[in-house]
């Protein structure tokens, strides 16, 4: 890692390596949000695209995380690629992806996943699995032929980072930590080495 390389290009390199190291879900990342009172909550989601604009995942906008991100549009992400002994931590503001971007991704999903997005009231209580099965059956009838539109309650969020930290394990716990801090809107980053 050299100090002139932009953090998005380092991330792309590391992510490619993670996809080639035999991991079942290299896209899995922990997503931390917080409610209006500052109470953090954490869960896994899948990274669906990344680049200088940020890091995108998709979800139900009416889920717990969806509500928290509307009330407090800030998030943190954490990847751990164990075979590579690498961790990447990201912190930033959050924005919704455009309707066009969400439509295109939704259209690329398997039909059963599209029906699932319509059927699941994610994060809300249900009496039992029969509630979910009933919703799936109803939606399968409703959308039995033709194009399935994206539900209004389902879209993507983009985490636009101001901090990205790369962690690489080294022998004797003398790990290498490199923190990139965005210094303005012009794409400049300050590089800081941190004690492990
Ligand atoms: C490996 C993994 C990947 C997941 N990916 C997603 C995802 O991309 N989007 C999503 O909404 N939930 C995903 N989930 C489920 C979430 O962890 C979580 O249970 C769900 O989104 C509800 O979270 P909430 O109640 O905090 O909103 C995933 C779970 C695991 C274990």
């Amino acid at each position: 890692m050299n100090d002139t390389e932009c953090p998005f290009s380092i991330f792309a390199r590391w992510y490619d390596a993670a996809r080639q190291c035999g991991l079942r879900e290299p896209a899995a990342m922990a997503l931390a949000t917080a409610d209006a009172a500052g109470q953090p909550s954490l869960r896994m989601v899948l990274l669906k695209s990344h680049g200088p604009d940020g890091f995108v995942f998709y979800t139900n906008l009416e889920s717990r995380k969806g509500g928290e991100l509307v009330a407090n549009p800030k998030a943190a992400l954490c990847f751990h690629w164990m075979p590579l002994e690498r961790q990447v931590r990201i912190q930033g503001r959050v924005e919704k992806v455009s309707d066009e971007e969400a439509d295109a991704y939704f259209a690329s999903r398997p039909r059963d996943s599209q029906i699932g997005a319509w059927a699941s009231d994610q994060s809300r209580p249900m009496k039992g699995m029969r509630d979910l099965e009933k919703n799936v059956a109803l939606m399968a009838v409703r959308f039995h032929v033709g194009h399935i539109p994206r539900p209004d309650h389902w879209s993507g969020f983009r985490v636009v980072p101001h901090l990205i930290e790369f962690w690489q394990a080294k022998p004797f716990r003398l790990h290498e930590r490199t923190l990139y801090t965005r210094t303005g809107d012009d794409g400049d980053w300050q590089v800081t080495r941190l004690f492990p």
Side-chain angles (χ1 to χ4, degrees):
M1 201 181 295
N2 70 60
D3 287 0
T4 55
E5 189 176 3
C6 109
F8 297 111
S9 123
I10 299 166
F11 181 87
R13 245 181 335 101
W14 280 30
Y15 188 49
D16 280 350
R19 287 199 291 183
Q20 285 161 26
C21 76
L23 271 172
R24 172 119 184 258
E25 282 292 11
M29 56 187 185
L31 162 73
T33 56
D35 66 16
Q39 170 63 56
S41 69
L42 186 64
R43 81 290 289 153
M44 303 302 291
V45 292
L46 294 178
L47 178 71
K48 289 298 170 184
S49 68
H50 65 90
D53 289 348
F55 299 83
V56 174
F57 64 91
Y58 287 87
T59 195
N60 186 312
L61 301 178
E62 295 165 359
S63 63
R64 175 172 175 183
K65 74 181 94 45
E68 291 183 359
L69 287 171
V70 168
N72 177 14
K74 295 175 184 170
L77 303 171
C78 187
F79 294 87
H80 177 212
W81 298 308
M82 193 181 280
L84 302 175
E85 300 186 280
R86 284 175 172 172
Q87 169 181 259
V88 180
R89 294 165 68 181
I90 294 166
Q91 222 173 280
R93 69 178 167 83
V94 171
E95 59 187 30
K96 260 177 66 189
V97 304
S98 69
D99 285 347
E100 294 71 30
E101 195 174 344
D103 287 344
Y105 174 65
F106 189 77
S108 77
R109 303 186 88 208
R111 200 171 173 85
D112 284 349
S113 305
Q114 294 177 338
I115 287 173
W118 278 98
S120 172
D121 297 327
Q122 193 179 55
S123 310
R124 272 132 309 159
M126 63 176 193
K127 288 202 193 79
M129 284 304 280
R130 285 200 55 159
D131 285 1
L132 179 60
E133 287 160 10
K134 200 170 92 189
N135 284 357
V136 170
L138 286 171
M139 292 304 150
V141 169
R142 178 169 166 192
F143 297 114
H144 70 291
V145 283
H147 169 74
I148 303 182
R150 176 176 59 86
D152 286 343
H153 63 254
W154 193 97
S155 188
F157 287 104
R158 174 175 285 108
V159 180
V160 182
H162 59 260
L163 287 182
I164 306 181
E165 184 202 315
F166 298 91
W167 183 101
Q168 171 73 66
K170 293 284 173 183
F172 310 111
R173 298 181 192 271
L174 302 179
H175 311 308
E176 202 173 280
R177 295 179 64 188
T178 313
L179 176 66
Y180 288 77
T181 309
R182 202 191 282 270
T183 53
D185 289 336
D186 49 6
D188 286 343
W189 295 82
Q190 179 189 315
V191 186
T192 315
R193 309 277 171 192
L194 302 176
F195 281 102

